[in-house]
Amino acid sequence: MKISLILTAILVLIITSEGNAQIELIFNGVQLEESLQSAKDKIEPFTEKMVLFEVENPTFPLSKDLEAHLVCSNYKSSYGTISELVFTFADDKLVYIQAHGNAIEAITAITKDTVQNYMDYRFYPKDHMVTKPSEDKVWILTEDAMHPNLFTWDNPYLPSNKEPKKITYTSGRIPDVIKLGGNLDQLKTNLERASDFTFTMELDGSDPNAQLQIDCFGIEYAGFPRKFEARFGDGKLNVLWILTGKGEEDRIRQKLISEYGPVIFKDDNWEVFDNWQVILRKDKPEVLVLTEELAVFYKRDYFKQ
């Protein structure tokens, strides 16, 4: 998948020892990738209230078998009390932290990272951190959590999310709002209505098949709200990328099989369905959807079939 260089710089986290050190200082020794029990032991002395939620059937994109959310109230960080915190663990590794309430002041107090802006968000790549100043929210994420844009996901276990949105679309079928081959003017309004919010950008010209991309955030697919990247060539929707997580690869695969039948082509990085129009990407977790014309092109020129 190709996106502009500036978005690549913003959206890819650089995992460094310096970034881990910043997180340790803020959260009294807690580190990304730490186990639940180890993190819990470090967190408990500094929080007024702590509740653990363990999910029997994981839907979190990074979780293969285990999903857990450790929720804290009035957490005394090294740089101020944070009203709400949720630590999310995928297969017993800390991969996602969301904070709200005195969050930005307490968590960014010691950052030396250069801030980068994207929509309403501010990125601190070396610190694995994203902030949303308008809502006083902070996310700290592993690189794997950053790929599906989990900084745009409000964890439903955060106490202020009193009535979290219920997920209703659990299918692997591409949602009806996506009309491959559809006209930009007709589809843009429908995509905006289906999304929590959208971001439109002109592409850099490196893809001869597309000139415009609409990033759609919060469209439900396979049991989780996703980022959809809808790409238009000559005013027609011809490519769609749905960002997923490595942990859910087999769940996505089974849902695709259920909807589109068995895999018709497979290699180390790709599994193809539905006459080459729906493709599971494995090296970088995504689902690719193509028009019939581009499917023929990809089959012949990219996959050499």
Side-chain angles (χ1 to χ4, degrees):
M1 182 180 58
K2 297 178 179 178
I3 60 176
S4 67
L5 292 177
I6 187 170
L7 283 179
T8 301
I10 290 174
L11 295 180
V12 176
L13 283 177
I14 303 169
I15 304 301
T16 65
S17 58
E18 180 184 352
N20 284 325
Q22 296 277 31
I23 295 167
E24 285 185 79
L25 286 171
I26 294 164
F27 293 111
N28 303 295
V30 175
Q31 301 179 61
L32 290 173
E33 305 286 346
E34 191 160 353
S35 72
L36 172 58
Q37 188 58 58
S38 176
K40 185 179 177 183
D41 290 344
K42 294 176 182 177
I43 292 165
E44 192 166 15
F46 300 96
T47 187
E48 184 178 288
K49 181 181 179 182
M50 184 169 66
V51 182
L52 176 64
F53 297 91
E54 296 180 290
V55 180
E56 185 174 344
N57 296 307
T59 59
F60 187 66
L62 276 61
S63 295
K64 181 180 179 182
D65 300 309
L66 300 172
E67 174 185 343
H69 306 269
L70 188 62
V71 180
C72 300
S73 301
N74 294 324
Y75 179 86
K76 294 180 180 179
S77 79
S78 300
Y79 296 90
T81 299
I82 301 168
S83 299
E84 302 177 347
L85 266 174
V86 57
F87 298 84
T88 297
F89 298 82
D91 300 310
D92 203 32
K93 291 183 178 181
L94 177 61
V95 296
Y96 169 108
I97 304 169
Q98 186 178 7
H100 177 237
N102 195 41
I104 291 177
E105 184 174 345
I107 297 175
T108 65
I110 59 171
T111 185
K112 297 179 182 178
D113 200 358
T114 301
V115 65
Q116 300 168 332
N117 297 308
Y118 173 62
M119 298 189 296
D120 295 332
Y121 298 89
R122 294 182 180 179
F123 287 76
Y124 302 82
K126 292 180 182 178
D127 294 337
H128 323 115
M129 184 166 62
V130 183
T131 70
K132 191 174 186 180
S134 63
E135 298 180 12
D136 190 18
K137 290 181 177 177
V138 177
W139 291 261
I140 297 174
L141 307 149
T142 62
E143 185 175 3
D144 287 343
M146 193 66 172
H147 168 67
N149 284 217
L150 290 179
F151 60 89
T152 64
W153 178 62
D154 258 332
N155 192 308
Y157 293 95
L158 200 70
S160 58
N161 292 333
K162 295 179 181 178
E163 294 184 3
K165 182 180 178 182
K166 186 177 180 181
I167 301 298
T168 59
Y169 196 87
T170 59
S171 171
R173 178 165 291 276
I174 307 307
D176 291 339
V177 70
I178 305 299
K179 305 292 185 183
L180 269 294
N183 183 275
L184 171 63
D185 293 334
Q186 296 173 337
L187 287 179
K188 192 172 188 295
T189 299
N190 291 337
L191 291 172
E192 289 172 348
R193 287 174 179 169
S195 306
D196 291 338
F197 55 92
T198 64
F199 179 78
T200 301
M201 63 179 179
E202 293 184 4
L203 300 176
D204 60 10
S206 59
D207 183 350
N209 298 307
Q211 300 88 40
L212 186 81
Q213 178 169 307
I214 302 178
D215 291 340
C216 305
F217 297 87
I219 299 180
E220 293 180 10
Y221 176 74
F224 199 84
R226 312 280 180 180
K227 180 188 180 188
F228 281 46
E229 297 177 350
R231 297 169 74 91
F232 292 81
D234 300 323
K236 304 290 184 181
L237 176 61
N238 57 20
V239 174
L240 175 74
W241 292 97
I242 305 174
L243 275 58
T244 60
K246 189 63 178 178
E248 64 181 344
E249 181 182 294
D250 192 57
R251 294 198 297 273
I252 299 290
R253 176 185 294 108
Q254 296 307 318
K255 289 177 182 293
L256 290 173
I257 291 172
S258 177
E259 293 294 339
Y260 297 109
V263 175
I264 60 176
F265 173 83
K266 180 178 179 180
D267 64 16
D268 290 343
N269 296 326
W270 307 89
E271 294 183 19
V272 179
F273 301 84
D274 194 33
N275 198 29
W276 296 83
Q277 288 188 256
V278 179
I279 305 175
L280 176 66
R281 184 175 182 178
K282 297 180 288 187
D283 61 328
K284 189 175 184 180
E286 295 164 340
V287 174
L288 170 61
V289 190
L290 302 166
T291 60
E292 185 176 350
E293 294 78 12
L294 275 184
V296 172
F297 169 80
Y298 270 67
K299 177 183 178 182
R300 182 188 67 237
D301 290 31
Y302 185 84
F303 292 104
K304 309 299 182 185
Q305 299 298 307

